[in-house]
Amino acid sequence: MAEALVSVTINGRRHALWGEETEVLLTVLRDRLGLTGTKNGCEVGHCGACAVWVDGLPQLACLTLLGSVADRTVTTVEGLAGWWRTLNGNDAYHPLQTAFVDNGAVQCGFCTPGMLMAGAALVRDRPGATAEAVRESLAGHLCRCTGYEQIVRAVLDVAAREEDPA
Amino acid sequence: MSSTAWLRPRTAAEVTMALGLPGARILAGGTDLVPNRTWELDTGTTWVGIGAVPGTREVRCDAAGRWEVGAAVTLAEVLAHPQLGRHYPLWMEAMRAVATPEIRTQATVGGNLCVDTRCRFRNQPPIWRSGLIPCFKSGGDRCYAAPASRLCVAMLVSDSAPVLMAMGAEAAVAGPFARWIALADLYSGDGDRHLTLNPGEWVRAIRLPAKPPLGAFRKWRPRATMDFPEVDVAVSVDCDEEPRVVRIVVSAVGPVPVRATSAETLLESGPWTSERLAEAADRARAAVHPYDNGQLRVWGRQRAVHGLVLDALRQVASAVVEKGAQA
C-alpha cells in the first residue's frame, strides 16, 4: 500500500496527512502545506536549501520521506522564531535571524532558510563553536552570493553570545 | 512520477521475500535512492526498508572483541558512538569524509557500502541525458566512459568500502544462504550490477576485526566537502604478522576497489625507506587505470593515486614508528 495517513507535528502544529509515504517532505511542505520558506534548490541533496529539523536535527527535506517523519516533529524556517519564543518566552526572532541581517549574510536569500536551520542547530548544541565547527556544520549548504564569510560571521556571533549570554 | 510502495518487513526472511517483488529495492537512508528516483535513474516501484529487522540498528561487540554494526545504523550514530571511534579511527576518518552533516544523519552503514555506482555520463538530470543514446546502465548497449568496454565502468563511490577492505572487515549477507563474506567479495566489477549479491540477498551488518591494523585514509575530490570521491586511498599494515600484512586499496577509480598487490608485496618485508615508499606509490599508480567518468581528468586522478598513496604510507610509517614496531 503506497498511501497512508501520516501524523506529524510541523512547527508545533499537528497534521494528519494522507499521501504516499515515499513522497519527499519537501513537496509536502511546499506544495501541500504552503510552507515555501523551505526552498527547492536542487532536489537531490546537493545544495542544502531545503534543510529542516526533524526531531531537532537538520535533515534535507528533498531526501526525507513523508513516511519517515510519522509521529515526529518537523521544524521549518517558518517555525524557527516560534521555537525560540516558546523556549525563551519572549517575542523576538531567533538571534541567528537577526544576526544574518546585521552581518549582511543575506543577498538573494535562497540559501538562507537552510543556512539558518543548520546554523541554529549548531549554536543550540555547541555554544561557543569555533569557525571550523561553523564551516563544518554549513558544509552542505551552497550560497552563490555572499562568499560565505558573512554567514559564518553571523553564526559565530550568535555562538559566542550563546556561550556567554551576559 | 510513478507510485512507489514502502514495505517495512520485520524479519530477515520477510525482507528476502519482499525483494522478490517486481522492481524491489532496499531502502536504507535513502540519500542516494531518493535523488536517483527524482532524476529517474532508478525506477524501482517497491522500496524495502530494513530498519525494523532485529539487529540492523544495533552496534555490539562479540566475545572475541569484534564489533558488529547493523546495516541500518546511520553514519552520524557511528561517529557519535562512544567506543567505535576509539577502536576504529581509520573507519571514522572515512565516515567523516562522507557527504555533509545532514546527509550523515540519514545515510547508513549498509547504504554507504552498497551505494549505487556513479558516472559523469549517467548521473545527470533527465533532460541532460535525453541527448544521449542510453548506456549499459541505462539499458543501452554502449559505454561513453570506456567505448571499448563490454561492461559498465561506473565508479564505486563508497568511502567506507576501501577502508573496511584495508581493515579486513566482513559483511553479513542475509538471504536464503546467510553468510559472512570479505568486503572485497561484495563487489562484482560490473558498474551496472556492482554487487555480487544474488536475488533476495542483502547486507545485514558488518563485522570489524578485534585488533584493527594501523592505517591511513585519503579522499580526493574537487571540494573539501559534499563531493563524491574522485580517488579514495586506504592503507593498512599489521606489523604483528611475519611477513607484515600490508593492504593498499584504491577506490573510486572503477566499479570495484583495487588492491595494489605489487606495492603491497614490496612493503611486506624490508625497511620502509622513503625510496621504497615512493616506489610502492609508483607501483600503486601503475596498477590503477581510472576511467574518464569522474568530474576530474583521468591524468590528474592517476597522479592523485600516486600522491595519496605516498602520503598515506608516510602517515602509516610514522604511526608504526610511534608504536615502536619495526618498519
Side-chain angles (χ1 to χ4, degrees):
Chain A
M1 178 82 169
E3 294 198 338
L5 187 68
V6 175
S7 171
V8 52
T9 302
I10 299 173
N11 297 337
R13 199 172 146 204
R14 209 166 164 79
H15 293 263
L17 300 165
W18 178 260
E20 273 210 31
E21 286 189 286
T22 56
E23 182 178 354
V24 289
L25 183 60
L26 178 62
T27 56
V28 173
L29 292 173
R30 288 181 58 84
D31 303 343
R32 293 174 60 180
L33 300 176
L35 295 169
T36 51
T38 302
K39 298 299 178 216
N40 180 359
C42 67
E43 284 188 309
V44 288
H46 289 178
C47 75
C50 66
V52 297
W53 290 355
V54 177
D55 287 344
L57 289 177
Q59 266 188 222
L60 300 181
C62 70
L63 302 181
T64 303
L65 302 177
L66 175 60
S68 73
V69 296
D71 302 319
R72 298 174 79 183
T73 303
V74 173
T75 308
T76 70
V77 72
E78 289 95 340
L80 184 61
W83 170 80
W84 179 254
R85 284 169 201 156
T86 310
L87 207 65
N88 294 280
N90 59 19
D91 191 24
Y93 283 111
H94 188 285
L96 191 59
Q97 292 174 303
T98 317
F100 262 55
V101 176
D102 294 343
N103 283 276
V106 182
Q107 281 189 36
C108 85
F110 202 85
C111 71
T112 308
M115 294 277 189
L116 283 172
M117 299 314 287
L122 178 80
V123 297
R124 177 199 62 199
D125 297 338
R126 295 173 65 182
T130 60
E132 194 188 342
V134 171
R135 289 201 170 88
E136 167 64 21
S137 76
L138 301 180
H141 298 261
L142 295 181
C143 170
R144 287 163 51 128
C145 307
T146 65
Y148 303 98
E149 272 310 310
Q150 296 92 322
I151 295 170
V152 172
R153 212 177 300 146
V155 181
L156 278 173
D157 268 6
V158 180
R161 262 184 273 158
E162 290 292 300
E163 185 186 37
D164 180 17
Chain B
M1 192 180 292
S2 61
S3 162
T4 316
W6 183 1
L7 307 179
R8 298 174 179 86
R10 297 195 162 272
T11 65
E14 285 173 15
V15 173
T16 297
M17 276 166 58
L19 288 174
L21 294 167
R25 306 274 188 275
I26 291 280
L27 171 68
T31 55
D32 194 54
L33 188 59
V34 174
N36 280 354
R37 177 186 65 174
T38 304
W39 276 3
E40 298 166 24
L41 293 166
D42 193 300
T43 53
T45 48
T46 303
W47 289 352
V48 184
I50 56 168
V53 177
T56 54
R57 303 255 320 121
E58 278 176 23
V59 179
R60 59 170 179 262
C61 184
D62 68 13
R66 297 173 303 187
W67 284 84
E68 194 179 312
V69 182
V73 174
T74 67
L75 306 192
E77 286 165 348
V78 168
L79 286 166
H81 193 275
Q83 303 284 327
L84 287 175
R86 200 155 49 82
H87 287 290
Y88 306 108
L90 181 60
W91 188 37
M92 294 302 120
E93 218 178 304
M95 294 281 96
R96 267 192 298 274
V98 175
T100 63
E102 282 91 346
I103 288 179
R104 293 196 290 269
T105 303
Q106 274 183 268
T108 64
V109 169
N112 188 259
L113 277 180
C114 300
V115 65
D116 199 9
T117 52
R118 295 178 67 85
C119 174
R120 191 179 73 228
F121 296 98
R122 178 173 148 84
N123 289 83
Q124 302 284 355
I127 193 164
W128 190 100
R129 295 198 315 275
S130 66
L132 288 182
I133 297 168
C135 65
F136 287 127
K137 203 169 166 70
S138 303
D141 60 355
R142 64 197 64 207
C143 176
Y144 291 99
S149 175
R150 291 186 183 180
L151 288 177
C152 169
V153 298
M155 293 188 284
L156 180 75
V157 290
S158 164
D159 289 317
S160 55
V163 162
L164 292 174
M165 271 176 71
M167 286 167 59
E170 300 167 295
V173 176
F177 305 103
R179 62 195 184 279
W180 286 95
I181 58 169
L183 245 291
D185 296 333
L186 183 61
Y187 303 106
S188 68
D190 176 0
D192 188 7
R193 300 175 61 82
H194 69 298
L195 301 176
T196 53
L197 302 178
N198 296 309
E201 291 186 333
W202 52 286
V203 173
R204 182 183 57 75
I206 61 162
R207 188 164 64 194
L208 302 153
K211 201 166 151 285
L214 291 172
F217 171 72
R218 294 288 183 277
K219 176 174 180 174
W220 196 57
R221 50 185 165 177
R223 295 170 291 186
T225 180
M226 202 184 291
D227 286 328
F228 287 98
E230 295 289 314
V231 174
D232 267 346
V233 166
V235 170
S236 76
V237 59
D238 185 349
C239 296
D240 295 340
E241 301 286 326
E242 185 56 43
R244 60 177 87 96
V245 178
V246 180
R247 295 195 186 96
I248 300 174
V249 187
V250 183
S251 190
V253 288
V256 64
V258 178
R259 286 279 293 272
T261 46
S262 168
E264 291 174 359
T265 311
L266 176 72
L267 298 176
E268 273 168 8
S269 52
W272 280 24
T273 59
S274 51
E275 292 78 19
R276 297 185 80 225
L277 295 186
E279 192 189 334
D282 281 340
R283 290 187 184 190
R285 176 181 173 165
V288 172
H289 306 281
Y291 296 102
D292 185 18
N293 55 0
Q295 302 302 316
L296 305 175
R297 303 282 291 271
V298 170
W299 181 78
R301 289 166 69 202
Q302 202 152 22
R303 269 193 70 187
V305 171
H306 181 274
L308 297 176
V309 169
L310 186 57
D311 203 29
L313 283 172
R314 283 178 179 150
Q315 183 189 326
V316 173
S318 315
V320 168
V321 170
E322 262 175 48
K323 207 186 157 203
Q326 197 68 43

